[in-house]
PDB file of all heavy atoms in Angstrom:
ATOM      1  N   SER A 269      -3.552  13.820   5.108  1.00  0.00           N
ATOM      2  CA  SER A 269      -4.604  14.834   5.139  1.00  0.00           C
ATOM      3  C   SER A 269      -4.856  15.357   6.514  1.00  0.00           C
ATOM      4  O   SER A 269      -5.486  16.325   6.709  1.00  0.00           O
ATOM      5  CB  SER A 269      -5.945  14.082   4.633  1.00  0.00           C
ATOM      6  OG  SER A 269      -6.255  12.952   5.374  1.00  0.00           O
ATOM      7  N   GLY A 270      -4.229  14.576   7.534  1.00  0.00           N
ATOM      8  CA  GLY A 270      -4.485  15.067   8.929  1.00  0.00           C
ATOM      9  C   GLY A 270      -3.535  16.197   9.276  1.00  0.00           C
ATOM     10  O   GLY A 270      -2.800  16.783   8.461  1.00  0.00           O
ATOM     11  N   GLY A 271      -3.587  16.580  10.589  1.00  0.00           N
ATOM     12  CA  GLY A 271      -2.759  17.666  11.064  1.00  0.00           C
ATOM     13  C   GLY A 271      -2.913  17.802  12.570  1.00  0.00           C
ATOM     14  O   GLY A 271      -3.685  17.050  13.133  1.00  0.00           O
ATOM     15  N   PRO A 272      -2.205  18.660  13.182  1.00  0.00           N
ATOM     16  CA  PRO A 272      -2.104  18.773  14.660  1.00  0.00           C
ATOM     17  C   PRO A 272      -3.477  19.365  15.197  1.00  0.00           C
ATOM     18  O   PRO A 272      -3.983  19.020  16.231  1.00  0.00           O
ATOM     19  CB  PRO A 272      -0.993  19.713  14.959  1.00  0.00           C
ATOM     20  CG  PRO A 272      -0.763  20.454  13.630  1.00  0.00           C
ATOM     21  CD  PRO A 272      -1.180  19.614  12.564  1.00  0.00           C
ATOM     22  N   TYR A 273      -3.974  20.319  14.411  1.00  0.00           N
ATOM     23  CA  TYR A 273      -5.300  20.936  14.885  1.00  0.00           C
ATOM     24  C   TYR A 273      -6.285  20.815  13.664  1.00  0.00           C
ATOM     25  O   TYR A 273      -5.836  20.839  12.524  1.00  0.00           O
ATOM     26  CB  TYR A 273      -5.096  22.392  15.219  1.00  0.00           C
ATOM     27  CG  TYR A 273      -3.883  22.573  16.140  1.00  0.00           C
ATOM     28  CD1 TYR A 273      -2.789  23.354  15.659  1.00  0.00           C
ATOM     29  CD2 TYR A 273      -3.848  21.939  17.356  1.00  0.00           C
ATOM     30  CE1 TYR A 273      -1.638  23.527  16.383  1.00  0.00           C
ATOM     31  CE2 TYR A 273      -2.624  22.206  18.142  1.00  0.00           C
ATOM     32  CZ  TYR A 273      -1.584  22.970  17.660  1.00  0.00           C
ATOM     33  OH  TYR A 273      -0.422  23.148  18.399  1.00  0.00           O
ATOM     34  N   PRO A 274      -7.547  20.935  13.969  1.00  0.00           N
ATOM     35  CA  PRO A 274      -8.509  20.965  12.829  1.00  0.00           C
ATOM     36  C   PRO A 274      -8.207  22.178  11.986  1.00  0.00           C
ATOM     37  O   PRO A 274      -8.039  23.311  12.459  1.00  0.00           O
ATOM     38  CB  PRO A 274      -9.885  21.136  13.508  1.00  0.00           C
ATOM     39  CG  PRO A 274      -9.640  20.657  14.960  1.00  0.00           C
ATOM     40  CD  PRO A 274      -8.222  20.957  15.274  1.00  0.00           C
ATOM     41  N   GLY A 275      -8.135  21.997  10.646  1.00  0.00           N
ATOM     42  CA  GLY A 275      -7.868  23.143   9.746  1.00  0.00           C
ATOM     43  C   GLY A 275      -6.441  23.331   9.515  1.00  0.00           C
ATOM     44  O   GLY A 275      -6.050  24.143   8.570  1.00  0.00           O
ATOM     45  N   THR A 276      -5.584  22.700  10.324  1.00  0.00           N
ATOM     46  CA  THR A 276      -4.143  22.893  10.157  1.00  0.00           C
ATOM     47  C   THR A 276      -3.481  21.589   9.760  1.00  0.00           C
ATOM     48  O   THR A 276      -3.308  20.645  10.539  1.00  0.00           O
ATOM     49  CB  THR A 276      -3.454  23.373  11.423  1.00  0.00           C
ATOM     50  OG1 THR A 276      -4.010  24.536  11.892  1.00  0.00           O
ATOM     51  CG2 THR A 276      -1.899  23.535  11.209  1.00  0.00           C
ATOM     52  N   PRO A 277      -3.265  21.433   8.469  1.00  0.00           N
ATOM     53  CA  PRO A 277      -2.590  20.210   7.986  1.00  0.00           C
ATOM     54  C   PRO A 277      -1.109  20.162   8.293  1.00  0.00           C
ATOM     55  O   PRO A 277      -0.506  21.195   8.423  1.00  0.00           O
ATOM     56  CB  PRO A 277      -2.800  20.297   6.456  1.00  0.00           C
ATOM     57  CG  PRO A 277      -2.877  21.664   6.110  1.00  0.00           C
ATOM     58  CD  PRO A 277      -3.463  22.360   7.352  1.00  0.00           C
ATOM     59  N   TRP A 278      -0.561  18.978   8.507  1.00  0.00           N
ATOM     60  CA  TRP A 278       0.849  18.792   8.651  1.00  0.00           C
ATOM     61  C   TRP A 278       1.583  19.370   7.447  1.00  0.00           C
ATOM     62  O   TRP A 278       1.169  19.185   6.324  1.00  0.00           O
ATOM     63  CB  TRP A 278       1.246  17.290   8.821  1.00  0.00           C
ATOM     64  CG  TRP A 278       0.789  16.728  10.092  1.00  0.00           C
ATOM     65  CD1 TRP A 278      -0.157  15.718  10.222  1.00  0.00           C
ATOM     66  CD2 TRP A 278       1.172  17.050  11.431  1.00  0.00           C
ATOM     67  NE1 TRP A 278      -0.264  15.392  11.489  1.00  0.00           N
ATOM     68  CE2 TRP A 278       0.456  16.175  12.340  1.00  0.00           C
ATOM     69  CE3 TRP A 278       2.059  18.014  12.076  1.00  0.00           C
ATOM     70  CZ2 TRP A 278       0.659  16.272  13.674  1.00  0.00           C
ATOM     71  CZ3 TRP A 278       2.309  18.040  13.248  1.00  0.00           C
ATOM     72  CH2 TRP A 278       1.491  17.139  14.212  1.00  0.00           C
ATOM     73  N   SER A 279       2.779  20.040   7.656  1.00  0.00           N
ATOM     74  CA  SER A 279       3.722  20.244   6.577  1.00  0.00           C
ATOM     75  C   SER A 279       4.234  18.904   6.173  1.00  0.00           C
ATOM     76  O   SER A 279       4.878  18.233   6.898  1.00  0.00           O
ATOM     77  CB  SER A 279       4.821  21.140   7.084  1.00  0.00           C
ATOM     78  OG  SER A 279       4.316  22.451   7.408  1.00  0.00           O
ATOM     79  N   SER A 280       3.951  18.454   4.921  1.00  0.00           N
ATOM     80  CA  SER A 280       4.312  17.202   4.543  1.00  0.00           C
ATOM     81  C   SER A 280       4.962  17.174   3.181  1.00  0.00           C
ATOM     82  O   SER A 280       4.575  17.839   2.246  1.00  0.00           O
ATOM     83  CB  SER A 280       3.211  16.238   4.729  1.00  0.00           C
ATOM     84  OG  SER A 280       2.178  16.501   3.830  1.00  0.00           O
ATOM     85  N   LEU A 281       5.861  16.307   2.932  1.00  0.00           N
ATOM     86  CA  LEU A 281       6.536  16.009   1.737  1.00  0.00           C
ATOM     87  C   LEU A 281       5.481  15.444   0.791  1.00  0.00           C
ATOM     88  O   LEU A 281       4.804  14.501   1.029  1.00  0.00           O
ATOM     89  CB  LEU A 281       7.586  14.975   1.913  1.00  0.00           C
ATOM     90  CG  LEU A 281       8.848  14.986   0.973  1.00  0.00           C
ATOM     91  CD1 LEU A 281       9.455  16.351   0.984  1.00  0.00           C
ATOM     92  CD2 LEU A 281       9.768  13.901   1.348  1.00  0.00           C
ATOM     93  N   GLY A 282       5.314  16.139  -0.426  1.00  0.00           N
ATOM     94  CA  GLY A 282       4.372  15.648  -1.328  1.00  0.00           C
ATOM     95  C   GLY A 282       4.902  14.542  -2.276  1.00  0.00           C
ATOM     96  O   GLY A 282       5.964  14.714  -2.897  1.00  0.00           O
ATOM     97  N   ILE A 283       4.240  13.507  -2.328  1.00  0.00           N
ATOM     98  CA  ILE A 283       4.690  12.345  -3.166  1.00  0.00           C
ATOM     99  C   ILE A 283       3.865  12.397  -4.555  1.00  0.00           C
ATOM    100  O   ILE A 283       2.683  12.391  -4.568  1.00  0.00           O
ATOM    101  CB  ILE A 283       4.329  10.994  -2.456  1.00  0.00           C
ATOM    102  CG1 ILE A 283       5.074  10.945  -1.120  1.00  0.00           C
ATOM    103  CG2 ILE A 283       4.843   9.883  -3.337  1.00  0.00           C
ATOM    104  CD1 ILE A 283       4.703   9.762  -0.319  1.00  0.00           C
ATOM    105  N   PRO A 284       4.637  12.530  -5.563  1.00  0.00           N
ATOM    106  CA  PRO A 284       3.996  12.699  -6.893  1.00  0.00           C
ATOM    107  C   PRO A 284       3.489  11.363  -7.395  1.00  0.00           C
ATOM    108  O   PRO A 284       4.026  10.779  -8.396  1.00  0.00           O
ATOM    109  CB  PRO A 284       5.088  13.227  -7.876  1.00  0.00           C
ATOM    110  CG  PRO A 284       6.414  12.647  -7.236  1.00  0.00           C
ATOM    111  CD  PRO A 284       6.134  12.528  -5.706  1.00  0.00           C
ATOM    112  N   ARG A 285       2.403  10.880  -6.746  1.00  0.00           N
ATOM    113  CA  ARG A 285       1.930   9.486  -7.002  1.00  0.00           C
ATOM    114  C   ARG A 285       1.479   9.344  -8.534  1.00  0.00           C
ATOM    115  O   ARG A 285       1.831   8.346  -9.127  1.00  0.00           O
ATOM    116  CB  ARG A 285       0.757   9.181  -6.039  1.00  0.00           C
ATOM    117  CG  ARG A 285       1.245   9.096  -4.677  1.00  0.00           C
ATOM    118  CD  ARG A 285       0.076   8.533  -3.806  1.00  0.00           C
ATOM    119  NE  ARG A 285       0.420   8.256  -2.502  1.00  0.00           N
ATOM    120  CZ  ARG A 285       0.572   9.174  -1.538  1.00  0.00           C
ATOM    121  NH1 ARG A 285       0.292  10.465  -1.846  1.00  0.00           N
ATOM    122  NH2 ARG A 285       0.918   8.842  -0.345  1.00  0.00           N
ATOM    123  N   ASN A 286       0.724  10.328  -8.915  1.00  0.00           N
ATOM    124  CA  ASN A 286       0.213  10.089 -10.294  1.00  0.00           C
ATOM    125  C   ASN A 286       1.289  10.124 -11.316  1.00  0.00           C
ATOM    126  O   ASN A 286       1.386   9.212 -12.127  1.00  0.00           O
ATOM    127  CB  ASN A 286      -0.717  11.343 -10.538  1.00  0.00           C
ATOM    128  CG  ASN A 286      -1.484  11.121 -11.883  1.00  0.00           C
ATOM    129  OD1 ASN A 286      -0.969  11.203 -12.936  1.00  0.00           O
ATOM    130  ND2 ASN A 286      -2.787  10.850 -11.690  1.00  0.00           N
TER     131      ASN A 286
END
Side-chain angles (χ1 to χ4, degrees):
Chain A
S269 52
Y273 317 116
T276 304
W278 292 115
S279 293
S280 63
L281 205 57
I283 304 173
R285 293 190 174 78
N286 192 288

